[in-house]
Amino acid sequence: MLLIISITIAIYLFFLVTGWGITRLTLPTTIRPYQLWLSPWMGLIITSLLSLSLSQVGFNTNQIIYVASILGVGLLLLCKCRKIPLIIPLKRFDAVLAIGSLVALFLALYPMIIEGVPTTISLGNNDPHIYVVLGDFFKTHSVNQPPPIHPDDPSSFFISWRLAPGFRLGSRLVFGLVASLLHLPTYQIFTITIGVFFALTPPLIAIFTLILTPDKFAAITALVITVLNVNFLFFNYHGYAAQTFGHGCLIVALILFELAEQNSALYRYYLLPLGLTISSLFILYPEISLFLIGFLSLYSLFKLVKRSRRLVFIRNLCLLIIVVVVINPFNLWHGLRYAFLASGLQSGWSMARWAFPVDMVGFLSIHANQVYPQYLLLVSSLPILILMVLGVSRLKNKKLWLSVLTFSFGVLLWLKWGRDYSYGYYKAVGFTSFALIIAVSIGLSESLKKITKIFHQLSLYTCQSIVILLIGLISTTAIVPLFNTMSASHLSVNSDLVELSEAAKVAGSRTVYIEESAYWEQMWMSYFLGKTRSVFMYPNEYYQQGDLYSDMSPMQVFSTVEEGGLVLTRNWHDDFMNTDKLLWTNKVYSLIRPAGKVDNTNVRIRLLENWWFLEEWWGNASDSKSFRWMKQDATIKLENEEDRPVGLASKIKFVPILPKTTVDVYLNNRIIKTIKIDSKPQFYEINIQVKEGENKLRFHVREGAIQPPRDFRTIALGVNAIRFSMQD
């Protein structure tokens, strides 16, 4: 617990200090009251831009961290030289923002607090593994040093094709930089780093509300809705790092742009911080840059329709574009290229239902098991839309907010009816709903003022307090199912996975075959085996992209273990197959050496082809605790090292799944026995005479195989135990 708190504080302070100097130097006095909350984001912006620029010329993050630290301290010294005060007075509203930020941080990190150690957690998304692998890689390599792709090194696949220019390299380098700063493996800082910036997002939205309208109640309302927003929490729990960074930087960009428009005489002072922020979007999360381009394009059309100050606006916009291009033209081009490519992809999973405005502000959850009639969703969304319209009508710069909302809803409608892409729709909801939240918060504040003016006996303060409590209650009700699910059944890099580094030492130079199908475990098992040559027996979709297994059929790669190879599996017990030898184990995983010898013989036995991974047996406690399914044809290899034939007695417990099962047993392609399997699991005896050298014992199920619902495997027969012994 103490280590989690220490890492959290260290990450926050690093980005705060790194961004403090640039914020004091470049931002006008109008924005300085909010420096405490903007500085960490400016720290993220300049460190990500610096890291990518230095990495592209050969630096790794172990080296870049010194440059970034010197830059941060240097900017602070420059402030002192220019006699710019570094200390800012805090206000009571900062305490409100701090409370909201701490609540958000608690919600983000609570599942890790349950674990008790700093680690990586996820609600189900496997992308955190990719960030961690690349973060570790960047500690000693640059983006220009991709490793050659090879099946013996699964991490080489993740690294190589994700080093393509424009592919969110800024976000990936951030984790390497933080890991280098704290001298920790990236998996220990990944979730905490996202949690810190997730917690810093609600204050941004509250500040933006306060900039748009000097109404603290509206800002507090926006803060509460954002802190307890089920959509934001859903993305945080899935470990969407690039989206978390990009979401905050998009809001920062709009805050700076709005302030620049409000103070056109000071526009030039906003050019550098605004240009840096926009440039960072193209390296942190290029997809979100298309939304900023869309917002500003619509806004430009609105502004150009009006003749007054048209030339001033065009001049300012051209200056901004020039600054953005000059900062990093190479990464700008590749970020745009990737953003347009990604906008046409169809990835992710189907959501339970389409989000309505009432879902967008977080008052209902599309992740809850409750099914709501569409008319109810429409009726409950109507007040949200009315408040939104009222809120926009109270803004001084209505054109900007109309541009943001119009483009956002336009994209959502296109994703709904143009592409029928619910996952993309929901992600777009995640990083555009801040606009709806701000407009609704302002509209709600204005409506309460009107109501209390009509009904004089009502106290405005009392009404505001009741509304805040109601919003908190409604939003909390929406996040509780998600919070409980994450707390109870999250994926994590637990101690059992971390201990696999010890298994790697035992394996040495031998190949380890990973017998695991679950994505999360499979990827992290490979990660902790490190440089040990490892091969997936059932590679998941992440490993079946690109070049790694492109010439092999899905889910059937490396179905056999080479001579001398070891098997890393779960649910292994020595009473499943009496010739396997245990080399290392912990509470979950076991490293075994297959092809052990039958007692009192020189005959080695090992499973050869078409056997599925070990599972936990659900039968009687007296049975073997391990269990395997086999396909229609499954083979056992018997290697007789003696110079004479050897007679073996085998006992195999078959577990039928088909109503009728007949098994033909072949030895070296010659049928030696036909077994009619009883409906209940039981042992069957098979006596065999193995010749010198290699022998193959094959089991063929006449009735074929089936594929159970929601299972990628084809199975014909189960095996609960295999016993070999010398014939009497």
Side-chain angles (χ1 to χ4, degrees), residues 168-216:
R168 306 178 186 173
L169 291 175
S171 291
R172 307 185 198 286
L173 278 160
V174 165
F175 294 105
L177 195 69
V178 174
S180 294
L181 170 72
L182 300 176
H183 299 281
L184 291 171
T186 309
Y187 81 88
Q188 289 189 318
I189 59 90
F190 174 80
T191 296
I192 297 177
T193 304
I194 298 178
V196 167
F197 283 97
F198 169 79
L200 289 170
T201 302
L204 281 184
I205 295 175
I207 289 167
F208 202 175
T209 308
L210 206 56
I211 289 170
L212 292 168
T213 175
D215 187 335
K216 287 189 177 178

Side-chain angles (χ1 to χ4, degrees), residues 16 53 82 87 94 160 261 297 304 526 577 608 679 695 718:
L16 178 72
S53 298
R82 297 184 62 178
I87 306 300
D94 288 312
S160 291
E261 286 293 290
S297 297
L304 293 175
S526 169
M577 189 167 176
L608 190 61
S679 58
N695 299 261

